[in-house]
C-alpha cells in the first residue's frame, strides 16, 4: 500500500510539471509581422479649407398681384418646373364678372361717343361737350384694361426653370396681394456661399479653381470663385466668397453642406504618412503604431491630423521625423504587441 501511494504521488507531480511547461509555452507570444515606414517631411502648398452652404444660381419668391382663393397648384416641393409653366391660379369668378361689367361700360360709352360725334361733325355739339364724352370713353377703356389685367393675374407662371424649393400655401387657402407663396430656384448652376478668414483673403482671386466636396453625395466637384466680399463680417471678421459649380444632372440641391478646398500661394514643410497608417478609435481619436526597434514592440501614439495631399496625410503632432510607423498589419496590433519587421 505504501509503494502504491508513493507511485501515485510521483505520477501527480509529473503531470503537474507537464502542465506548467505547456502553460509556459503558451505564454510565449509569437511576434506579428508588420511593415513600417519612416515618417518624412515634404514641401507642400498650403490649402485653404472652409465650409459653405449651397444656394441656387437664381432664386425667386412668387406671389399673386391680386387676392383670392387658390384653386390650383401645379408642383410640390422638390419638383422641377419649367419657365412659363402655370404654377398656381386663383378662383377667377369675381374678376371675370368685373371684366364683363367693364366691357358693358365701354360698349355703352362707345355708343354714346359715336352718336355725339355725328352731331359734332355737323357742328351741332360744342367742343367741350364732345371732349367730355371722349374722356369718358378713355376712362371706360382704362377700367376695362385694369379688370382684364386683374383677371390675367389670377394665373401665376414660373419666370425661370428650376426646382420648387418651398410651397407655402395649399389649394383652398385665401391669400392676399403680394404674399410670397412659392420659392423657385434655378439649379442648372449652383453657388457655394462660404466665409474666408481675413488672414487668408490675400490668397483668394477671382476665377481661382476650387474643389468642392458635397458629403451628402460623396462626390467632389470643380468650381471657380466668382465673387469675393469687399467687407468683413463685423462679428467673425470673415469675408464672403461665392464659388459657381455646374450642375447638369441637378444632383446638387440648395441647402446642402459643402467642404471647399483651394490652393494657397504659400508653401510649408509637412510631416506626412500614408493615409492607411492612421487608425481611429471609438471616440474618433486618430492614432498610429510606432515600432520600437530595440524592444521589438508596437507602441500606440495619438496624433493630430492636418491636410490631405496625394494620399498622404499631414501629422501635426504625436510623432517625429525619425519615428518608424507601422503601415502594414497595424489593424491586428494593440499597445505593446510584439512585432517582427518584415520591411
Amino acid at each position: 500500500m505504501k509503494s502504491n501511494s508513493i507511485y501515485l504521488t510521483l505520477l501527480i507531480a509529473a503531470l503537474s510539471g507537464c502542465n506548467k511547461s505547456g502553460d509556459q509555452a503558451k505564454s510565449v507570444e509569437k511576434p506579428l509581422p508588420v511593415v513600417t515606414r519612416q515618417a518624412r517631411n515634404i514641401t507642400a502648398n498650403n490649402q485653404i479649407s472652409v465650409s459653405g452652404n449651397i444656394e441656387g444660381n437664381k432664386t425667386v419668391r412668387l406671389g399673386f398681384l391680386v387676392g383670392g382663393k387658390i384653386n390650383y397648384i401645379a408642383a410640390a416641393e422638390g419638383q422641377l418646373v419649367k419657365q412659363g409653366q402655370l404654377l398656381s391660379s386663383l378662383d377667377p369668378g369675381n374678376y371675370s364678372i368685373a371684366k364683363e361689367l367693364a366691357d358693358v361700360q365701354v360698349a355703352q360709352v362707345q355708343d354714346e361717343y359715336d352718336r355725339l360725334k355725328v352731331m359734332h361733325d355737323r357742328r351741332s355739339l360744342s367742343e367741350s361737350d364732345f371732349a367730355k364724352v371722349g374722356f369718358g370713353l378713355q376712362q371706360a377703356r382704362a377700367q376695362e384694361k385694369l379688370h382684364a389685367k386683374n383677371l390675367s393675374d389670377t394665373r401665376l407662371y414660373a419666370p425661370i426653370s428650376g426646382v420648387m424649393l418651398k410651397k407655402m400655401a395649399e389649394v383652398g387657402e385665401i391669400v392676399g396681394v403680394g404674399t410670397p407663396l412659392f420659392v423657385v430656384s434655378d439649379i442648372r448652376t449652383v453657388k457655394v456661399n462660404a466665409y474666408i478668414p481675413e488672414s487668408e483673403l490675400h490668397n483668394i482671386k477671382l476665377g481661382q479653381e476650387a474643389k468642392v466636396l458635397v458629403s451628402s453625395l460623396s462626390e467632389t466637384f470643380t468650381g471657380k470663385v466668382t465673387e469675393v466680399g469687399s467687407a468683413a463680417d463685423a462679428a467673425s471678421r470673415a469675408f464672403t466668397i461665392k464659388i459657381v459649380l455646374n450642375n447638369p444632372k441637378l444632383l446638387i440641391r440648395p441647402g446642402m453642406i459643402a467642404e471647399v478646398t483651394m490652393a494657397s500661394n504659400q508653401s510649408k514643410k509637412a510631416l506626412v504618412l500614408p493615409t492607411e497608417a492612421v487608425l481611429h478609435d471609438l471616440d474618433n481619436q486618430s492614432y498610429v503604431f510606432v515600432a520600437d526597434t530595440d524592444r521589438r514592440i508596437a507602441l500606440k501614439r495619438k496624433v493630430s491630423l492636418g491636410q490631405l495631399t496625394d494620399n498622404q496625410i499631414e501629422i501635426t503632432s504625436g510623432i517625429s521625423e525619425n519615428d518608424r510607423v507601422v503601415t502594414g498589419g497595424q489593424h491586428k496590433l494593440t499597445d505593446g504587441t510584439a512585432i517582427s519587421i518584415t520591411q
Side-chain angles (χ1 to χ4, degrees), residues 66-285:
V66 294
K69 184 170 70 173
I70 298 176
N71 64 3
Y72 173 75
I73 296 176
E77 289 187 4
Q79 291 184 336
L80 298 175
V81 297
K82 294 183 178 180
Q83 183 176 9
Q85 176 183 343
L86 177 65
L87 285 184
S88 183
S89 64
L90 302 177
D91 183 353
N94 292 341
Y95 297 101
S96 296
I97 294 172
K99 173 64 167 55
E100 290 177 9
L101 290 174
D103 292 342
V104 171
Q105 182 69 20
V106 169
Q108 181 180 353
V109 178
Q110 182 70 56
D111 180 66
E112 184 178 2
Y113 176 85
D114 292 340
R115 287 186 294 102
L116 294 179
K117 186 175 184 304
V118 174
M119 296 175 62
H120 175 264
D121 293 341
R122 293 176 180 174
R123 299 181 181 276
S124 57
L125 185 68
S126 66
E127 289 290 341
S128 61
D129 290 338
F130 184 65
K132 288 179 182 179
V133 73
F135 292 142
L137 180 59
Q138 291 179 19
Q139 183 178 5
R141 286 176 176 171
Q143 287 289 336
E144 183 183 41
K145 289 180 181 178
L146 176 61
H147 289 297
K149 183 180 183 302
N150 288 342
L151 180 60
S152 175
D153 287 341
T154 60
R155 299 171 69 83
L156 183 62
Y157 296 91
I160 61 172
S161 296
V163 63
M164 178 82 79
L165 293 186
K166 290 184 180 180
K167 179 174 71 72
M168 298 167 284
E170 298 293 340
V171 172
E173 287 189 34
I174 297 176
V175 297
V177 177
T179 304
L181 303 175
F182 309 100
V183 180
V184 176
S185 183
D186 180 4
I187 60 170
R188 288 170 293 184
T189 57
V190 294
K191 291 181 181 179
V192 181
N193 192 21
Y195 289 91
I196 292 291
E198 60 180 338
S199 59
E200 299 285 359
L201 186 64
H202 65 283
N203 292 315
I204 305 299
K205 301 290 186 295
L206 289 175
Q208 182 175 347
E209 186 177 277
K211 298 294 184 181
V212 179
L213 170 64
V214 182
S215 56
S216 58
L217 300 177
S218 300
E219 191 170 350
T220 299
F221 302 86
T222 301
K224 288 187 176 181
V225 178
T226 58
E227 295 181 35
V228 178
S230 57
D233 179 78
S236 64
R237 306 306 304 168
F239 290 78
T240 303
I241 65 168
K242 290 191 177 181
I243 299 154
V244 170
L245 305 175
N246 289 324
N247 188 26
K249 297 181 180 179
L250 306 182
L251 296 177
I252 310 174
R253 295 297 180 97
M256 288 182 173
I257 303 298
E259 299 295 329
V260 180
T261 304
M262 292 174 287
S264 169
N265 296 326
Q266 298 177 341
S267 60
K268 66 173 182 178
K269 282 192 174 181
L271 186 66
V272 297
L273 287 173
T275 54
E276 60 269 18
V278 180
L279 305 174
H280 301 277
D281 58 22
L282 295 177
D283 296 328
N284 205 32
Q285 171 67 51

Side-chain angles (χ1 to χ4, degrees), residues 1-13:
M1 289 294 292
K2 186 175 181 180
S3 61
N4 290 339
S5 176
I6 294 173
Y7 175 77
L8 182 60
T9 301
L10 291 174
L11 180 62
I12 292 172

